Amino acid sequence: MSKILAKYRDSAFRKFLRRNEKYAPIFFFIGGFIFDSLTLGRIDRLYDLTVLCMHMTLLSCTLYVYNRVPDGRWKNTFLERFEEYLPLAIQFFFGALSSAYVVYFSRSVSLTKTAYFFAILVLLLFANEFLKKRISNKYLQFSIYFFLSFTFFTFIIPVFIKAMNQNVFILSGAISLLCTLALIVLIYRVSPSTKSEVHLGKLLTIVFTIYCVINVFYFFKLIPPVPLALNTGIVAHDIKRENGKYVVSFERDKWYVFWRKHKKEFIWNPDERVYVFSSIFAPTDLKKTIFHRWSWYNALKEEWEFIEDIKYDILGGRDGGYRGYTYKNYVKEGEWKVEVLTEEELVLGVIEFEIQMNTAHEPSRLVNRKF
């Protein structure tokens, strides 16, 4: 055993970490981010589910082991050799989980009020780089842990039970809260150092506050409706179905407008319809009702006027997303938007365009694309 320990103390990896102690947390943070960015794709894939579950499980175990170190619990055990790496491991899992959520949420978030919650995830992702010296703060540890746990279960539960609604969200939050409280109470009961450092009532208050804040975000529709995601949203001149494919005719925007496929200015002839096409990713066998909410901007009143809700059902599982479209025969000139919503009115995305009536001007850069 002494030879193994001596070999470990003299290892190149340990020397590297000692030489670069200041930057080691950044390496682990970037490692977790790159790992998930390159490997994660679909939330309903067995690989993705396995990776997320492993991250969450290993983070929970690492937190327990780390919080027992000051008690001397791992003296003369094999875990003693790895004590100095535990903060780095925690930081790796914090970075891996938050980056995974950024990857998934970036597909679901629209440039609407749901972007606020997405911004919190991005801030958490980058703030993780600066947490090394504060990772021993147990209030901070469990606050971040609970936030990541809550987000984890809001992803996983809908995938497993093939449903997504308000009750499923409440269930996900309750499971997360119970798991976090169980871990906190377990560590508090067995760790004398934790009892001396932490006021249990204060810690539980912080956790319950985070729980309430996330629920407020949900009920004010500030959280993107993951695991659903809007893959494509286009305003089109014509849509046809050919050999199981949708052929969508639309005006292509300039090459540097990478965030939108269609041209915002829609040249409309009163004899034609205005179509809005969308494809929505949903996990396998998850059924959901989707709305296209058409609205027109009244420039005189300076407000959006609701025109119509048109709904259709989706069934998940297709890589390219479940495809569907709605249309209007009669429209007014001016600014329009079509919000893609769930039945709980959570926003998947917003398709914006401007109707310009001009019978003498033909649409330019018209393309036909199959979906």
Side-chain angles (χ1 to χ4, degrees):
M1 179 63 73
S2 59
K3 291 182 179 180
I4 295 176
L5 287 174
K7 184 177 180 180
Y8 165 74
R9 293 189 188 101
D10 296 332
S11 67
F13 180 66
R14 183 176 179 132
K15 290 178 180 178
F16 172 80
L17 289 181
R18 288 289 174 84
R19 286 196 309 268
N20 300 277
E21 185 175 2
K22 181 179 179 181
Y23 304 104
I26 301 177
F27 295 148
F28 277 76
F29 161 77
I30 294 175
F33 178 79
I34 293 176
F35 177 80
D36 282 346
S37 299
L38 295 178
T39 59
L40 298 180
R42 287 180 52 136
I43 185 62
D44 59 344
R45 284 193 314 175
L46 178 61
Y47 173 82
D48 290 52
L49 292 172
T50 302
V51 168
L52 286 180
C53 290
M54 285 182 60
H55 283 340
M56 201 70 229
T57 302
L58 291 173
L59 173 59
S60 303
C61 295
T62 305
L63 280 176
Y64 174 82
V65 173
Y66 177 68
N67 281 284
R68 296 304 313 277
V69 169
D71 307 319
R73 174 64 180 83
W74 314 118
K75 289 291 184 183
N76 302 318
T77 70
F78 79 98
L79 288 175
E80 184 180 7
R81 290 175 279 169
F82 306 104
E83 288 180 353
E84 66 179 295
Y85 300 125
L86 294 175
L88 299 177
I90 292 171
Q91 195 151 23
F92 175 86
F93 293 125
F94 279 170
L97 285 168
S98 54
S99 64
Y101 301 153
V102 167
V103 170
Y104 293 128
F105 269 105
S106 64
R107 299 182 62 191
S108 295
V109 73
S110 61
L111 296 179
T112 61
K113 56 188 179 181
T114 58
Y116 294 119
F117 189 81
F118 181 69
I120 292 175
L121 279 174
V122 174
L123 287 173
L124 178 61
L125 176 64
F126 287 101
N128 183 59
E129 178 182 338
F130 307 101
L131 294 180
K132 196 230 178 190
K133 292 183 179 179
R134 299 178 178 85
I135 207 69
S136 60
N137 185 314
K138 300 184 191 302
Y139 296 108
L140 180 63
Q141 279 181 41
F142 289 108
S143 296
I144 297 175
Y145 174 82
F146 176 61
F147 182 85
L148 294 176
S149 172
F150 199 136
T151 312
F152 168 79
F153 283 106
T154 58
F155 273 100
I156 295 297
I157 299 297
V159 174
F160 282 131
I161 68 176
K162 315 298 182 186
M164 177 189 165
N165 52 47
Q166 179 177 306
N167 292 333
V168 173
F169 182 85
I170 293 173
L171 173 65
S172 303
I175 293 174
S176 172
L177 183 62
L178 290 174
C179 291
T180 302
L181 293 180
L183 181 62
I184 290 173
V185 171
L186 173 62
I187 293 174
Y188 189 83
R189 290 184 62 181
V190 301
S191 172
S193 62
T194 300
K195 286 183 179 179
S196 64
E197 292 179 41
V198 171
H199 186 284
L200 186 59
K202 179 180 176 181
L203 180 56
L204 295 182
T205 299
I206 293 173
V207 170
F208 276 107
T209 300
I210 296 172
Y211 174 78
C212 293
V213 168
I214 296 177
N215 277 277
V216 168
F217 266 65
Y218 178 82
F219 287 105
F220 277 90
K221 302 176 178 62
L222 297 174
I223 298 179
V226 293
L228 299 180
L230 180 66
N231 283 351
T232 305
I234 298 173
V235 58
H237 289 271
D238 191 28
I239 298 178
K240 296 178 181 178
R241 187 87 183 258
E242 295 180 1
N243 301 320
K245 297 274 189 180
Y246 285 92
V247 181
V248 182
S249 300
F250 62 97
E251 284 187 83
R252 186 177 53 191
D253 213 325
K254 296 179 176 62
W255 64 269
Y256 54 80
V257 183
F258 59 88
W259 60 89
R260 185 176 59 239
K261 288 184 171 66
H262 64 267
K263 189 177 180 181
K264 186 175 181 181
E265 295 77 21
F266 186 93
I267 306 302
W268 179 64
N269 188 309
D271 296 330
E272 69 175 356
R273 295 170 172 174
V274 178
Y275 293 85
V276 168
F277 172 84
S278 62
S279 64
I280 299 166
F281 169 79
T284 306
D285 295 333
L286 190 150
K287 297 179 181 180
K288 198 69 181 167
T289 298
I290 297 297
F291 288 88
H292 278 186
R293 174 165 293 170
W294 291 70
S295 301
W296 173 73
Y297 185 72
N298 188 324
L300 293 177
K301 296 182 179 179
E302 296 184 341
E303 62 182 26
W304 287 98
E305 289 186 2
F306 166 76
I307 302 298
E308 186 179 7
D309 275 346
I310 308 175
K311 70 177 182 178
Y312 59 95
D313 296 327
I314 67 170
L315 177 64
R318 185 177 181 272
D319 280 335
Y322 186 94
R323 302 153 299 170
Y325 66 90
T326 60
Y327 62 86
K328 299 290 292 179
N329 287 310
Y330 304 103
V331 294
K332 306 174 186 178
E333 284 192 284
E335 297 284 339
W336 285 77
K337 68 177 179 180
V338 175
E339 296 173 284
V340 185
L341 308 169
T342 68
E343 55 195 317
E344 297 84 16
E345 299 196 1
L346 297 173
V347 181
L348 280 163
V350 181
I351 303 163
E352 297 177 311
F353 52 97
E354 180 183 352
I355 298 291
Q356 296 180 356
M357 192 181 301
N358 190 337
T359 56
H361 182 70
E362 292 293 326
S364 60
R365 297 171 60 84
L366 197 65
V367 297
N368 295 321
R369 186 163 297 175
K370 293 182 179 181
F371 294 90

